[in-house]
Amino acid sequence: MLRSEWWRSAVIYQVYPRSFSDSNGDGLGDLPGITQRLPTIRNLGVDALWLSPFYTSPQKDAGYDVADYRDVDPRFGTLADFDALVAEAHRLDLRLIVDLVPNHTSDQHVWFQQALAAGEGSPERARYLFRDGAGPDGDTPPNNWESVFGGPAWTRVPRPDGTPGQWYLHLFDTSQPDLDWENPWVREQFHDILRFWLDRGVDGFRVDVAHGLIKKKGLPDYVAPKGGASMGGHASTPPYWAQPGVHEIYRAWRKVLDEYPGEQVLVAEAWVNPLSKLAQWVRPDEMDQAFNFDFLETAWDATAIRRVIRDSLAAFGKVGAPSTWVLSNHDVVRHATRLAITTDHVQGEGIGPKSPDKPNRVTGLRRARAATLLMLALPGSAYLYQGEELGLPEDVELPDSARQDPTWFRTNHERYGRDGCRVPIPWEALAPAFGFSPTGESWLPQPPEWAGYARDAQEGQPDSTLELYKAALALRAQHGLGLGDVDWLRGYPEDVIAFRNGNVIVIANVGTQIVTLPPGVIALSSEPVSANLPGETTVWLEAAQA
Ligand code: GLC
C-alpha cells in the first residue's frame, strides 16, 4: 500500500480539553464541547489534533494522573462522546492523536491500590518502584532524587498493621507513582491499552515523559542542577531520564501500531539534549516524531535560531525523520509572553503577580507573530497550542487562590507553575466566559481583557493574529512548505534569518534595524514601515519562478 506519511509535514493542533470548550456549563471543558468546535478548527487549516488526557483521573495533575486508561472521566464525557469526536474529526478530514501517560499512573489506579494492599515483595508491588528506606529505621528515602514538581521523589506508605513501611518513587506528584517498566507485566498492559485506542480509530499517540520510563540500575543518587529537578534538556543526564533501555519499549509499540492498517503515529515528549541524542527516539523502527523543545527554548536571537534550525534539520534528517517545531504547549509560558522575557527562565516555573519580570505584551505579541510565521515556513511538522492562534499571552496576574498546578503547592508557592498558560480560551467577546462555557463558569478565571482576543473579534479582521495564522497555514499547504528544504540565503545582516523553501523566500528580521523589503510579499507578521521590513517581523515572498 502506498503510504502518505501524512505526519511528515502535518500541522498538529493541541487541544487541552479542560480549557477548550465546556458544553455542560460546569466550568470544565469536555469532549462534546470539542466536537462542537471542530469545524472551526478545521477552518483554521490544521491537519490533526492532539488531545491532552481526558481519561478517568482524580485530576491531581490535570489528568496526567490516570486512574483508568480505558475510560473517559465523567467530567469530560463518556466513551460514546469520544467515539463521536473521532467520527466528526474524520468526517472533517482531521486526524486525532491521543495522549498516553505510561511513566506513572494515578495513586487511585487499581494497580496501585492492589500494590498497597498486597504488601511488600508481592507481584503487585513489583508493578511500581517500591524500595526500603535508608537508615536503621528505613525512614530516609531510598535515594536523594527530587520530584520535577519540587520536594522529594519518594513517599512512604504504612504496612497493613499501620507501622511505617516501604517507599515508592514518583518523579512527579505524590499522587503519580512511577511504574516499573523493567516488569514485563507492565509492558503487556500498555500493549493492550494501545490496542484499545487503536481499535477506537485514533491516529496515534503523544507519549508523555517518553524519556523517563527506564531508570538507571540501582537508582543511584543524583544532584539536580541549580533550580531543582526538571524535565531534562540540560547537559547532565540524570539517572531517571534518557536511559538507553527505553528504546526497546518503543520498538515493541511500533510493532503493535503496525498490526493496524493506516498510518498511526508515535510522538515523543522527551526533553533530551542534544538534538542528535533526541533523534534516537525517532529512528525508523521507533517513534515518528519528537517535540523539538530545543527550538521552543531558543531565545529571541537570530544566531541561536539559525543554529537550532540547522541542527534540527541535520539531526532528524540523519535518521530519516522529519523535524518538528513547537513554540507553546500546556507546560510552558505562552510564546506571546515568553519571547519578551528578559531574565533567565526555567520551564515550569511560570510567571505570576510577584515575578520580577513582567514581559512587555506588545513586544511579546510582535515577536510571537514573527516567530510563528518563521516556524510555519520550516519543513517538517509543526505543533500549535490552543489559543496561540489568537495571540493569547500567558495570564501573569492569575490570583494565587485560583492556582491548581501541583508545582505551586510542592514548592511552597516558590514556583508559580503552569496555570497561566491553561486558562480557558475566549471564543466570543460578549458571551459569558467569552463563550467557553454557557453558564460563565471557568475552572480558572479569565482576565477581562481577553474579550479583545476572542475569536469572533478577530475573525475577518485582516490584521488579527487569527487571520495571520489562517493565511500562513493556507500558504504553507499551497506551497508545500512542510515537505520542502531550507536553502540559506546570504548577504543579510547578522540579525536577519533568510532562506528559501521551494518558491517561497522567508526573511525574519529578528533585530530592530529596518531592512529593505523585496517585492512579492505573500505574508507579513507586522506592518511595513515606509515600504521597508521593520524589526521583529517575518515576511514570506513568492520567488520569481525560474
Ligand atoms: C508531561 C506533561 C505534563 C505533566 C507531566 C507528568 O510533561 O506534559 O503536563 O505534568 O508530564 O505527567
Side-chain angles (χ1 to χ4, degrees), residues 4-33:
S4 70
E5 303 204 324
W6 62 274
W7 38 272
R8 286 191 175 270
S9 58
V11 178
I12 301 171
Y13 183 92
Q14 180 188 358
V15 170
Y16 194 63
R18 52 171 46 230
S19 304
F20 188 69
S21 181
D22 170 20
S23 73
N24 65 4
D26 65 357
L28 199 74
D30 46 45
L31 299 186

Side-chain angles (χ1 to χ4, degrees), residues 503-522:
N503 62 348
V504 173
I505 288 175
V506 180
I507 307 174
N509 185 2
V510 176
T512 47
Q513 302 298 314
I514 281 173
V515 299
T516 310
L517 181 58
V521 173
I522 52 171

Side-chain angles (χ1 to χ4, degrees), residues 321-507:
S323 184
T324 65
W325 313 102
V326 58
L327 289 165
S328 280
N329 65 32
H330 66 293
D331 291 327
V332 301
V333 171
R334 283 184 175 276
H335 71 284
T337 299
R338 192 184 67 241
L339 290 173
I341 292 178
T342 52
T343 49
D344 274 355
H345 187 80
V346 179
Q347 183 271 331
E349 194 175 84
I351 303 179
K354 294 203 194 75
S355 299
D357 185 18
K358 290 281 168 54
N360 180 295
R361 219 175 239 202
V362 175
T363 307
L365 183 56
R366 186 177 178 91
R367 291 180 180 175
R369 289 167 56 109
T372 298
L373 202 55
L374 171 65
M375 171 174 89
L376 291 178
L378 292 168
S381 179
Y383 281 80
L384 307 180
Y385 175 50
Q386 65 179 41
E388 68 167 87
E389 75 277 22
L390 306 174
L392 276 191
E394 183 84 357
D395 182 358
V396 299
E397 301 296 342
L398 198 66
D400 291 353
S401 58
R403 295 193 181 278
Q404 303 209 14
D405 186 346
T407 311
W408 167 250
F409 300 101
R410 291 185 61 89
T411 61
N412 290 324
H413 307 173
E414 245 172 57
R415 290 200 241 156
Y416 282 109
R418 304 159 295 173
D419 291 314
C421 64
R422 298 175 173 181
V423 174
I425 60 173
W427 296 87
E428 291 133 31
L430 301 178
F434 307 127
F436 164 67
S437 158
T439 56
E441 289 292 314
S442 174
W443 71 279
L444 286 175
Q446 299 162 299
E449 68 274 17
W450 278 23
Y453 293 92
R455 195 170 302 259
D456 70 344
Q458 299 197 34
E459 206 93 51
Q461 300 298 322
D463 296 339
S464 70
T465 302
L466 178 61
E467 293 301 331
L468 177 69
Y469 270 73
K470 281 198 213 160
L473 289 166
L475 287 165
R476 176 185 158 90
Q478 183 192 327
H479 292 276
L481 300 181
L483 291 174
D485 289 304
V486 166
D487 281 328
W488 298 101
L489 299 176
R490 292 169 197 281
Y492 289 86
E494 192 55 33
D495 268 353
V496 175
I497 300 168
F499 62 87
R500 184 173 169 153
N501 180 352
N503 62 348
V504 173
I505 288 175
V506 180
I507 307 174

Side-chain angles (χ1 to χ4, degrees), residues 152-169:
W154 295 91
T155 291
R156 195 171 196 186
V157 297
R159 295 200 179 91
D161 66 3
T163 58
Q166 287 187 310
W167 300 70
Y168 67 88
L169 177 72

Side-chain angles (χ1 to χ4, degrees), residues 167-200:
W167 300 70
Y168 67 88
L169 177 72
H170 52 88
L171 292 180
F172 296 91
D173 190 49
T174 322
S175 62
Q176 294 167 295
D178 281 54
L179 287 162
D180 185 353
W181 273 87
E182 304 285 0
N183 183 341
W185 184 89
V186 170
R187 297 189 185 211
E188 273 313 306
Q189 300 307 305
F190 275 85
H191 291 171
D192 288 349
I193 292 165
L194 289 170
R195 290 192 186 101
F196 178 87
W197 294 102
L198 289 165
D199 288 341
R200 297 198 104 85

Side-chain angles (χ1 to χ4, degrees), residues 16 50 61 64-65 99 101 104 149 172 176 206 208-209 231 269 271 329-331 347 405-406 418 422:
Y16 194 63
W50 147 36
D61 183 22
Y64 283 93
D65 48 321
D99 214 312
V101 188
H104 44 267
F149 295 156
F172 296 91
Q176 294 167 295
R206 174 265 188 194
D208 192 63
V209 196
M231 289 299 287
E269 187 223 13
W271 297 73
N329 65 32
H330 66 293
D331 291 327
Q347 183 271 331
D405 186 346
R418 304 159 295 173
R422 298 175 173 181

